[in-house]
Amino acid sequence: MNFPDLLDALFARHLPVLPVLLPLFTAVSLLLMGDGGGQSSHGGREIRRQRFVSLASVALGAALAWRLMTEAAGGGLAVYPMGNWSAPFGIVLVIDRLSAMMLALTWTIALPVLWYASYGWDSHGRHFHALFHFQLMGLSGAFVTGDLFNLFVFFEVLLIASYVLLLHGQGQGRFKAGVHYVVLNLVASALFLIGLAIIYGLTGTLNMADLALRVAQLGVQEAALFKAGAMVLLVVFGLKAAIVPLYLWLPGTYAAASAPVAALFAIMTKVGVYSIIRVHAVILGDGAGHASMAVEAWLLPIALTTTALGVLGALAAHSLARLVAYLTVASVGTILAGVGLFTPAAMSAALYYMVHSTLVIAALFLLVELVASQRGDTGDRLQPAAPVSQPVMLGLMTLLGAASAAGLPPLPGFLGKLMILESSAPSPAHAWVWTVVLLAGFLTLIGLARAGAILFWNVLPASDQPAYAGGSWRLTAATLGLLALSLLLAVAASPMKRYTDAAAAQLTDRAGYASAVLGSVGGAAAMTTRPYRGGAGDVILPVSGGTP
């Protein structure tokens, strides 16, 4: 084997761990380069070097994530045993269709957001780029880990980075929101450990594949206690996802954050949603014995209530940032409404809608600053002000984002909601699902139309205000890029729906998942790609290292 082939083989073997290691090494390198404050001429050169390294790393990470998603689309589960310790005793990273999709979504959003931040936001405080990559490390690790304890570890990594990113640029509003955010998440972390202790005490394992098998063997009393531990985890994941009644921290926190930080935070609520899917829809799904469907009676009502209250909060918002933050809450409720129906069709619809809503929410947070920067001292407050200097461009972008968020045809928001509504037909609660989802879309349209009318029509006489940063082509391109990606979901709706259908089917195959993960032994910490049967068909991929 020649050197290029050997290099390619090594790259393929260790591909699943690269989305975690790449941001880690990049963050450490950026820390060694300096604080990146950019206040002096030396600092200016320093921040430019950091921007180059940071953007190159994110571009590479996005390419890796998309390659993993391409390989996962074939149906194989990539299992990477860390340190050559086999599951369930060692740490394993597992790439299936869902985790690969979430990785691709995370890194795809990170690239335009970092491009946006590199226009100047990164120099408003210290170590922005290093913290950004630590955040990406935590997000990537949470999506690829194969056990609950390391899910907790990666939660802490992304949360610690988010604490500092939230305060980046300083300000009284950010400090106040940051205190609430930190305290609530510290409490959630303690509850996370309590829930894990209960589950580990009953089953002797925290490996997700192993848990999916062992929970079905629990007796009635043990299953009741296991469900109690799982409900504790639901509280933790619900706080991360911002569901009722645990969502009150999010509007103020996201509205206070800088625009690129809030846009990156759009994916953080999806970590909570992802964790709910892994624990409550897979481990405790159908086939979990006495613990089956532990949250079936709770999740759908909570999801619909979250959607309703999120939209009402958006209607009552007095600033554009808080309006978008409340729409984040409403979108989480809509996603979990699909999850809470507990059918493969509804799960597929929820996954499709999750990709769309995350892209649109991230774009809207960037758009908030584009608009606010051209309204002088009024900022993003929903009250009359001087006209913006780019009314056509910003007006069209706002219209596109609003129409997609509200779910108007033929945009992907409409397609995602339609899929959820159609999949709810077999459920006794389908009337509630239709009522809440349709009414939420209508009220979202009203709220965003009201905001647009104030921002672009109900304006004061033009003043001699200076040109603001919102006119930069770099900021506009980053925002348009995210909006264009959301539109691409409508153009590529058919292949994306096939992918989410296969991902939902793969999630129901508990035995196949357990067989792939628990059979990954040996091979110098090498990746093992195992056949998966189901979804898009039987696919057998080659084993790269390890013992099949």
Side-chain angles (χ1 to χ4, degrees):
M1 180 181 292
N2 55 36
F3 180 74
D5 291 338
L6 178 62
L7 191 63
D8 185 67
L10 287 173
F11 175 78
R13 290 175 66 186
H14 299 286
L15 183 59
V17 77
L18 293 182
V20 179
L21 294 183
L22 176 64
L24 172 61
F25 291 146
T26 303
V28 173
S29 301
L30 291 168
L31 288 174
L32 295 175
M33 292 173 65
D35 61 17
Q39 299 303 318
S40 64
S41 59
H42 172 74
R45 291 193 298 272
E46 182 179 276
I47 193 66
R48 285 194 294 272
R49 288 196 297 269
Q50 290 200 7
R51 286 168 181 167
F52 176 80
V53 172
S54 185
L55 284 166
S57 178
V58 172
L60 176 59
L64 295 175
W66 276 97
R67 174 165 173 174
L68 281 168
M69 185 174 176
T70 302
E71 293 183 356
L77 278 81
V79 181
Y80 190 94
M82 301 292 291
N84 200 30
W85 285 88
S86 60
F89 309 106
I91 299 169
V92 292
L93 305 182
V94 185
I95 308 290
D96 62 0
R97 287 188 177 99
L98 176 57
S99 57
M101 184 187 80
M102 298 307 297
L103 273 179
L105 178 61
T106 299
W107 286 88
T108 300
I109 288 176
L111 186 56
V113 167
L114 186 62
W115 174 267
Y116 185 104
S118 296
Y119 185 79
W121 263 114
D122 54 350
S123 62
H124 289 188
R126 302 176 62 187
H127 301 301
F128 176 88
H129 290 279
L131 291 165
F132 192 93
H133 284 272
F134 278 126
Q135 176 95 19
L136 287 177
M137 174 193 171
L139 289 167
S140 299
F143 291 134
V144 302
T145 184
D147 68 273
L148 292 179
F149 183 77
N150 283 283
L151 179 63
F152 166 78
V153 171
F154 285 117
F155 261 54
E156 295 308 299
V157 172
L158 71 91
L159 286 173
I160 290 172
S162 71
Y163 297 155
V164 190
L165 284 174
L166 174 61
L167 298 175
H168 186 79
Q170 303 179 358
Q172 182 178 358
R174 286 178 192 155
F175 181 78
K176 183 178 179 180
V179 170
H180 296 161
Y181 179 66
V182 171
V183 170
L184 286 173
N185 279 288
L186 288 176
V187 173
S189 296
L191 289 175
F192 202 159
L193 289 176
I194 292 172
L196 293 182
I198 294 172
I199 291 173
Y200 185 77
L202 287 168
T203 62
T205 183
L206 291 175
N207 181 278
M208 295 182 192
D210 204 20
L211 277 173
L213 298 181
R214 295 196 185 197
V215 68
Q217 302 169 6
L218 295 176
V220 176
Q221 293 182 344
E222 291 83 1
L225 188 55
F226 189 97
K227 287 194 290 186
M231 292 301 288
V232 173
L233 294 185
L234 180 64
V235 173
V236 176
F237 301 150
L239 181 66
K240 313 296 185 186
I243 63 175
V244 168
L246 305 169
Y247 73 98
L248 296 176
W249 63 271
L250 186 144
T253 300
Y254 280 35
S258 64
V261 171
L264 182 63
F265 281 9
I267 193 69
M268 279 214 307
T269 53
K270 308 313 181 292
V271 178
V273 174
Y274 173 87
S275 302
I276 290 173
I277 293 173
R278 285 293 185 196
V279 174
H280 293 281
V282 178
I283 296 175
L284 292 176
D286 191 23
H290 297 294
S292 293
M293 302 297 185
V295 297
E296 183 179 23
W298 295 85
L299 192 55
L300 185 58
I302 288 174
L304 295 178
T305 305
T306 301
T307 300
L309 293 183
V311 172
L312 292 177
L315 286 174
H318 295 291
S319 70
L320 190 57
R322 288 186 73 89
L323 188 154
V324 177
Y326 273 110
L327 291 182
T328 305
V329 175
S331 69
V332 167
T334 305
I335 296 165
L336 286 177
V339 176
L341 291 168
F342 290 103
T343 65
M347 179 66 73
S348 172
L351 296 181
Y352 180 94
Y353 186 78
M354 179 161 59
V355 175
H356 147 76
S357 64
T358 308
L359 290 169
V360 170
I361 293 297
L364 287 176
F365 274 121
L366 298 184
L367 183 59
V368 167
E369 189 186 55
L370 291 182
V371 174
S373 64
Q374 297 185 20
R375 300 182 78 230
D377 295 334
T378 305
D380 72 322
R381 294 193 298 275
L382 296 179
Q383 61 187 54
V388 297
S389 58
Q390 295 177 300
V392 176
M393 173 68 74
L394 296 183
L396 289 175
M397 291 168 66
T398 303
L399 178 62
L400 178 59
S404 193
L408 294 183
L411 298 174
F414 168 77
L415 297 176
K417 289 183 177 181
L418 181 62
M419 293 174 195
I420 293 175
L421 294 178
E422 288 182 340
S423 65
S424 70
S427 172
H430 70 278
W432 284 103
V433 175
W434 278 71
T435 301
V436 172
V437 172
L438 292 178
L439 188 59
F442 177 69
L443 294 179
T444 298
L445 186 61
I446 291 178
L448 288 170
R450 165 181 166 266
I454 294 172
L455 296 173
F456 300 107
W457 290 347
N458 189 13
V459 296
L460 301 177
S463 61
D464 295 330
Q465 60 182 5
Y468 289 92
S472 166
W473 68 269
R474 179 185 298 214
L475 304 183
T476 304
T479 310
L480 280 173
L482 286 171
L483 288 173
L485 286 171
S486 70
L487 291 179
L488 188 61
L489 281 178
V491 177
S494 180
M496 187 63 190
K497 183 62 165 55
R498 287 196 299 270
Y499 185 95
T500 57
D501 284 345
Q506 194 174 45
L507 289 173
T508 64
D509 185 12
R510 299 152 60 93
Y513 183 87
S515 175
V517 174
L518 300 179
S520 58
V521 181
M527 179 187 77
T528 304
T529 304
R530 303 188 174 278
Y532 165 71
R533 301 186 179 277
D538 294 351
V539 181
I540 300 180
L541 298 179
V543 175
S544 175
T547 302

